[in-house]
Amino acid sequence: EPEVTQTPSHQVTQMGQEVILRCVPISNHLYFYWYRQILGQKVEFLVSFYNNEISEKSEIFDDQFSVERPDGSNFTLKIRSTKLEDSAMYFCASSVSGREYETQYFGPGTRLLVL
Amino acid sequence: AQKITQTQPGMFVQEKEAVTLDCTYDTSDPSYGLFWYKQPSSGEMIFLIYQGSYDQQNATEGRYSLNFQKARKSANLVISASQLGDSAMYFCAMREYPSGGGADGLTFGKGTHLIIQP
């Protein structure tokens, strides 16, 4: 069964450093998403991406974040200058369409720790 | 105001019993989707079941069913014959009709931590 994959599973970085989180969405899916979950809290939407551009973004997704689809399979989230409060689990998800009835399938997550 | 409310932070249930996890939602859109995800201690998010706002019947997927009461804006998850492996966090989520033409993300509740006891 196809699944979303994410690398790395864990990342530790120093405050102020740049990090890139990588995702490979399900191959026939056209819409891609990033979410984050701060420890013990609910999952929060960051951004959606379609046709090589941002479709929607939340208030959390400020100028320090960027997303890119550098090739036909990978989807990345870059955090330019990490802060302590960026420590969280980051989930990538994908779906066939952007409609409200379409299921989003999540990857296993990348646990980011900023020191 | 919270769009998704899960009022049970934690639940203890005996193995083999049925369990109902509550979820109420708030939207003015006529078209929306409701989803339940399971998050075991390993951290991944596993899709369980979906209910569309226009669906006439309650969704079912194996041991999971969704008690959808549209007028009350509730979408409770029912797990029949609970198993030890059902112990996890359970999140209710909603996706509304894309307002700006884009693909809106899911809005999640705070979750319910379900523990199945032998």
Side-chain angles (χ1 to χ4, degrees), chain A residues 31 33 35 37 41-43 45 48 55-56 89 91 95 97-108 111, chain B residues 2 31-33 35 37 39 43-45 47 50 91 95-98 100-106 108-110:
Chain A
Y31 288 79
Y33 313 84
Y35 293 82
Q37 184 183 30
Q41 298 187 22
K42 64 180 180 180
V43 179
F45 168 70
S48 59
S55 181
E56 297 286 344
M89 178 78 99
F91 291 104
S95 65
S97 81
R99 288 303 304 273
E100 65 278 15
Y101 48 73
E102 201 70 64
T103 298
Q104 295 180 24
Y105 293 92
F106 283 69
R111 195 174 294 279
Chain B
Q2 294 284 335
S31 183
Y32 51 89
F35 303 82
Y37 287 85
Q39 186 177 42
E44 70 267 36
M45 295 288 287
F47 165 71
Y50 159 80
F91 291 97
R95 194 175 190 195
E96 297 168 292
Y97 183 82
D104 291 345
L106 291 163
F108 284 83
K110 293 183 177 180

Side-chain angles (χ1 to χ4, degrees), chain A residues 10-64:
Chain A
H10 293 79
Q11 175 131 15
V12 181
T13 190
Q14 294 290 325
M15 189 170 57
Q17 294 295 306
E18 174 183 286
V19 296
I20 297 176
L21 310 182
R22 292 181 168 79
C23 166
V24 179
I26 294 173
S27 61
N28 65 330
H29 287 188
L30 300 178
Y31 288 79
F32 317 124
Y33 313 84
W34 284 102
Y35 293 82
R36 80 172 184 190
Q37 184 183 30
I38 295 171
L39 187 63
Q41 298 187 22
K42 64 180 180 180
V43 179
E44 300 172 293
F45 168 70
L46 292 178
V47 66
S48 59
F49 190 87
Y50 168 71
N51 199 26
N52 279 322
E53 60 183 26
I54 289 174
S55 181
E56 297 286 344
K57 60 182 180 179
S58 72
E59 294 174 351
I60 304 169
F61 193 87
D62 60 22
D63 290 345
Q64 70 160 343

Side-chain angles (χ1 to χ4, degrees), chain B residues 7-117:
Chain B
T7 57
Q8 306 150 311
M11 287 185 72
F12 289 87
V13 173
Q14 288 295 119
E15 189 180 8
K16 299 180 185 176
E17 289 183 352
V19 57
T20 297
L21 305 181
D22 295 340
C23 172
T24 57
Y25 59 92
D26 182 26
T27 181
S28 56
D29 283 345
S31 183
Y32 51 89
L34 297 159
F35 303 82
W36 278 91
Y37 287 85
K38 172 183 178 181
Q39 186 177 42
S41 56
S42 50
E44 70 267 36
M45 295 288 287
I46 302 167
F47 165 71
L48 295 178
I49 195 166
Y50 159 80
Q51 180 84 43
S53 58
Y54 291 119
D55 292 343
Q56 296 294 320
Q57 294 187 331
N58 288 340
T60 60
E61 286 286 348
R63 293 187 300 113
Y64 304 108
S65 60
L66 209 152
N67 184 1
F68 181 48
Q69 298 189 42
K70 194 170 181 177
R72 294 185 178 184
K73 292 189 176 178
S74 74
N76 299 338
L77 176 70
V78 180
I79 306 174
S80 63
S82 57
Q83 303 171 356
L84 296 178
D86 294 333
S87 294
M89 283 291 290
Y90 288 81
F91 291 97
C92 179
M94 177 175 65
R95 194 175 190 195
E96 297 168 292
Y97 183 82
S99 54
D104 291 345
L106 291 163
T107 300
F108 284 83
K110 293 183 177 180
T112 295
H113 189 190
L114 176 65
I115 297 174
I116 307 298
Q117 296 175 312

